[in-house]
Amino acid sequence: MVGVVGLVGQVGQVSQVPPESTQQAVGYPALFVLVLLGSLVPVVPTGALVSTAAVVAFHHSDPFALLVVFALAASAAFLGDTGLYWLGLRGVRSKNGSRLLEALRARAAPDRLEQARSKLHEHRSQVLVLSRLVPAGRIPVMVACLLSRMPMRRFARGDVPACLAWAAAYQLIGILGGSLFPEPWQGVVAAVALTLVISGAPAVWRRLRGT
């Protein structure tokens, strides 16, 4: 009887998943999928997602949690960027045009697009790094690359350091939020607020200049 009770207790302990393991099992795939979708469909605030995941990872006991978040965010952003560029490049080469290319051009302000084309002419693929770091800069630069018919291979080479720098920057925001507050939810609120302010600053500045 004692042996049966002990066996049942061991099975119960095995079946109980620690909270951190549950968070990682659900959170890591969700982070990868959401950043990938946000890179393909530029409406999801991917920077806020990375910062939020970094806050949670900062409070985990797993020393590799932050490294995993960085790797997943950078790889998902790279796959999303290259996938979107590949689709746009097919539209550029198509005789009938591309709805995707027109949609991307509609999301890029004319002055930002012209500036991106000028910077691309001066600095070539190096401007991709800044396009990821500057809020609302990714789409104008990508459209400029498409209009100049930059080869897929050259775009991918320039996008690798861009995605790495982007993931590191937003992860640092999350680490800052996690270190300033004792509770993870407080750090999440601070990190999300900061990323939204950063991402919305260019639009506010353009409106102020317009008025």
Side-chain angles (χ1 to χ4, degrees):
M1 184 66 179
V2 176
V4 174
V5 173
L7 180 60
V8 172
Q10 292 178 1
V11 173
Q13 291 179 357
V14 173
S15 62
Q16 292 177 355
V17 180
E20 284 193 7
S21 299
T22 304
Q23 293 175 9
Q24 293 173 353
V26 176
Y28 289 156
L31 173 66
F32 182 86
V33 171
L34 290 176
V35 173
L36 177 62
L37 292 177
S39 299
L40 287 171
V41 184
V43 293
V44 179
T46 53
L49 292 173
V50 176
S51 298
T52 300
V55 172
V56 177
F58 180 82
H59 288 278
H60 276 179
S61 60
D62 185 3
F64 299 103
L66 286 172
L67 182 61
V68 174
V69 169
F70 172 77
L72 289 176
S75 58
F78 175 76
L79 290 177
D81 284 355
T82 52
L84 186 61
Y85 190 79
W86 179 76
L87 292 174
L89 202 59
R90 289 189 62 186
V92 170
R93 296 169 179 172
S94 175
K95 295 181 180 180
N96 299 325
S98 171
R99 293 183 180 180
L100 175 62
L101 180 60
E102 293 301 322
L104 291 176
R105 293 190 66 169
R107 294 185 60 86
D111 57 334
R112 297 293 298 272
L113 179 57
E114 186 61 30
Q115 184 180 11
R117 298 184 72 171
S118 176
K119 295 296 183 182
L120 182 63
H121 179 71
E122 296 175 4
H123 305 287
R124 297 185 179 274
S125 59
Q126 297 175 359
V127 76
L128 289 172
V129 178
L130 290 178
S131 73
R132 263 289 184 177
L133 297 177
V134 176
R138 183 174 72 102
I139 297 302
V141 171
M142 182 176 290
V143 173
C145 293
L146 288 171
L147 295 178
S148 65
R149 300 199 175 190
M150 177 184 291
M152 183 71 195
R153 184 175 300 178
R154 182 183 299 176
F155 177 85
R157 285 200 304 264
D159 197 53
V160 169
C163 293
L164 293 175
W166 171 83
Y170 280 98
Q171 189 172 36
L172 286 176
I173 295 176
I175 294 174
L176 178 62
S179 61
L180 292 178
F181 300 95
E183 296 295 332
W185 70 267
Q186 295 173 332
V188 168
V189 172
V192 171
L194 183 57
T195 53
L196 292 179
V197 169
I198 293 175
S199 61
V204 174
W205 175 248
R206 286 197 299 269
R207 290 185 179 181
L208 291 176
R209 289 181 61 187
T211 57

